[in-house]
Amino acid sequence: MDARLEAIRDTVLARNPGEAEFHQAVVEVFESLGPVHDRHPELLEAAILERLCEPERQIIFRVPWTDDAGRVQINRGFRVEFNSALGPYKGGLRFHPSVYLGIVKFLGFEQIFKNALTGMPIGGGKGGSDFDPRGRSDAEVMRFCQSFMTELYRHIGEYTDVPAGDIGVGGREIGYLFGQYKRITNRYESGVLTGKGISWGGSLVRPEATGFGTVIFTQEMLNSRGTSFDGQRVVVSGSGNVAINAIAKAQSLGATVVACSDSSGYVVDEAGIDVGLLREVKEVERGRLKDYAERRAGVSYVNVGSVWNVDATVALPCATQNELDGGAAARLVRNGLLAVGEGANMPSTRDAVAVFQDAGVLFGPGKAANAGGVATSALEMQQNASRDSWSFEHTEERLTEIMVGIHDRCAATADEYGEPGNYVLGANIGGFVKVADAMLAQGLI
Ligand code: NDP
């Protein structure tokens, strides 16, 4: 890393102790930014990096609620409003027991660059809670969401901060959150949350957008090497919103997705995952992958080891951060891996990324490859602002244009900085330059 940036990095790490994921995200971005600072020394003078690493506002709050047995439960809520140089803070809410400030800050930091890459007027933010919705009744989830929003509503708004979903937050949770926001504020302010149901202000394609977008981005990378998804053997991790829609899109382009996972195990389905059955089990019944395996002939369920033990020519990690390590990456590469498209945020460890890049594997980092979700959220905000709703075809066309645009911007930036095919560098510099320009123009903020 560039020595000037190393000093700034050390200060950032020391100022934010114990936040391992945030440190990882910062270091990964800093490693790309030396060449931009050579060309633009004014960025150092204006302390753009120091400012970028310090969130504009961090809100931490108590979320008290009662479970079905009448016991009082306490969780912790977070919203980190990281950077508003390009527009209102935008980024999802994650409900998962692993959530703490370091996870929310890593996600919010990544979100700044991701949102800039979409070319849309949205800043970066992220939030969530250590609440675990798994195994909770609908009534418990509702009471939790109502309590969470009873504090969060003070900080958000269609021109201020617009949350959406992430792990553990899907259509059900957004519904309960929106209902409580509306009740407290007495405003039907559709644009305050995205990922809403289609009959009350949501956008077609938003549920599919992150998974579809990841596959579109990966298809563009494959095209750059004269190939495509057609005939590829694909492994996807996760079996939530992003994973299911990535599987559906990859198979619609002629690939066979032979495996996917949840946090208990993975299934191997050599005939190709049956997306209809997977949706039934996971989205309708809120069941586990084990149930999928029990209902389909020829499928094996494995509850030890990692889904990355299954060979693939294309890997789409769509579960969570740091799920694919250097050892798994080396194994995949040995067995013929061509491309990785990150549907999740930072699913590959730094070692894994190095293995992929050294081996010349096409590697699409999450902040570029999974930006289709937030981009379609911005399309939802546009529809809300104009009291309009677009067709599936039109919205999908916009998503495709946006993803192709992000791919091309990353590729062109990597070329411009002398590292053709380095999508990590392209995404980091492409996103950074846009935010840095806006911050310079707006004075010392
Ligand atoms: P979901 O909650 O719908 O699904 C998450 C999936 O990942 C589940 O299969 C879950 O398994 C698995 N998973 C979660 N945590 C772990 C863990 N610690 N170890 C192993 N498996 C785990 O979330 P999404 O699909 O929405 O999100 C997946 C990823 O995509 C996240 O990294 C998120 O930040 C990213 N993302 C999501 C966007 C969106 O629009 N939803 C937008 C951009 C990025 P189990 O059910 O067993 O917990």
Side-chain angles (χ1 to χ4, degrees):
M1 189 186 296
D2 182 291
R4 299 160 304 175
L5 270 56
E6 255 174 21
I8 303 170
R9 174 204 62 191
D10 290 346
T11 309
V12 172
L13 302 196
R15 272 173 73 76
N16 300 277
E19 298 175 358
E21 297 81 3
F22 178 53
H23 294 183
Q24 186 182 341
V26 166
V27 169
E28 192 259 345
V29 168
F30 275 36
E31 277 172 349
S32 299
L33 297 182
V36 188
H37 288 84
D38 292 340
R39 287 190 195 183
H40 300 285
E42 71 276 13
L43 296 173
L44 284 172
E45 213 157 293
I48 293 292
L49 275 177
E50 289 91 327
R51 285 195 269 153
L52 258 175
C53 292
E54 189 69 27
E56 290 176 14
R57 195 172 297 104
Q58 307 184 57
I59 302 138
I60 303 182
F61 51 100
R62 178 172 66 206
V63 190
W65 57 285
T66 44
D67 65 20
D68 286 346
R71 278 188 302 260
V72 174
Q73 302 278 347
I74 307 291
N75 286 100
R76 189 170 289 169
F78 301 89
R79 187 71 185 165
V80 173
E81 298 181 333
F82 227 116
N83 193 294
S84 61
L86 297 181
Y89 312 105
K90 182 88 197 85
L93 298 172
R94 174 177 292 191
F95 292 169
H96 191 273
S98 62
V99 167
Y100 76 107
L101 189 60
I103 295 265
V104 180
K105 281 169 68 178
F106 119 65
L107 291 164
F109 185 71
E110 293 269 298
Q111 198 83 44
I112 302 169
F113 306 98
K114 180 189 309 194
N115 293 3
L117 282 170
T118 66
M120 305 179 90
I122 41 180
K126 199 82 186 187
S129 173
D130 57 0
F131 170 70
D132 188 355
R134 282 172 307 181
R136 291 290 177 190
S137 69
D138 286 353
E140 288 177 317
V141 171
M142 182 180 76
R143 287 195 294 275
F144 173 81
C145 288
Q146 290 180 337
S147 182
F148 186 86
M149 185 53 86
T150 301
E151 172 60 32
L152 187 71
Y153 89 96
R154 305 170 209 284
H155 310 287
I156 62 176
E158 62 182 320
Y159 299 113
T160 317
D161 182 353
V162 183
D166 190 80
I167 291 177
V169 179
R172 175 182 60 172
E173 290 75 17
I174 294 291
Y176 295 149
L177 291 164
F178 183 70
Q180 184 73 352
Y181 180 84
K182 190 166 65 63
R183 189 174 187 207
I184 295 175
T185 59
N186 193 27
R187 288 154 64 99
Y188 205 107
E189 193 187 336
S190 306
V192 69
L193 288 170
T194 59
K196 297 179 296 294
I198 196 64
S199 60
W200 43 278
S203 173
L204 287 167
V205 191
R206 178 62 189 90
E208 294 84 1
T210 308
F212 277 25
T214 300
V215 171
I216 297 165
F217 186 94
T218 309
Q219 173 91 332
E220 291 301 302
M221 293 199 299
L222 290 166
N223 287 347
S224 76
R225 296 250 177 106
T227 181
S228 72
F229 262 101
D230 196 19
Q232 303 292 351
R233 179 184 165 88
V234 179
V235 170
V236 173
S237 62
S239 50
N241 170 271
V242 179
I244 293 175
N245 290 295
I247 294 169
K249 187 71 173 179
Q251 296 201 144
S252 77
L253 295 175
T256 306
V257 180
V258 296
C260 65
S261 62
D262 60 22
S263 58
S264 314
Y266 62 94
V267 293
V268 182
D269 188 345
E270 290 289 343
I273 300 284
D274 177 340
V275 177
L277 177 60
L278 186 62
R279 285 195 192 281
E280 181 68 26
V281 169
K282 297 292 296 192
E283 294 180 341
V284 180
E285 299 167 13
R286 295 185 183 274
R288 309 292 300 161
L289 267 185
K290 198 166 181 296
D291 307 325
Y292 172 93
E294 280 166 9
R295 287 177 22 201
R296 185 161 152 86
V299 176
S300 51
Y301 176 73
V302 186
N303 65 2
V304 284
S306 147
V307 71
W308 303 119
N309 290 329
V310 182
D311 294 346
T313 54
V314 178
L316 302 175
C318 297
T320 194
Q321 63 278 352
N322 292 327
E323 50 153 306
L324 201 172
D325 63 18
R331 221 195 49 75
L332 286 164
V333 166
R334 269 198 308 278
N335 291 310
L337 187 73
L338 293 175
V340 180
E342 292 190 326
N345 286 306
M346 208 166 74
S348 312
T349 64
R350 293 183 62 217
D351 288 351
V353 177
V355 169
F356 294 140
Q357 292 191 318
D358 290 349
V361 166
L362 292 162
F363 178 75
K367 63 171 75 70
N370 72 34
V374 74
T376 309
S377 276
L379 299 179
E380 184 173 331
M381 290 162 71
Q382 279 183 28
Q383 292 169 75
N384 294 154
S386 59
R387 303 273 189 272
D388 197 2
S389 54
W390 305 341
S391 68
F392 193 96
E393 292 68 28
H394 174 69
T395 317
E396 193 180 18
E397 216 170 278
R398 292 287 307 270
L399 169 65
T400 305
E401 274 168 21
I402 292 167
M403 293 315 297
V404 172
I406 294 173
H407 170 273
D408 293 352
R409 217 162 298 137
C410 292
T413 306
D415 287 348
E416 185 191 335
Y417 282 85
E419 296 215 24
N422 186 342
Y423 291 94
V424 172
L425 183 111
N428 286 338
I429 294 186
F432 170 76
V433 165
K434 195 144 189 246
V435 180
D437 280 352
M439 288 177 72
L440 279 177
Q442 292 171 18
L444 186 52
I445 52 165

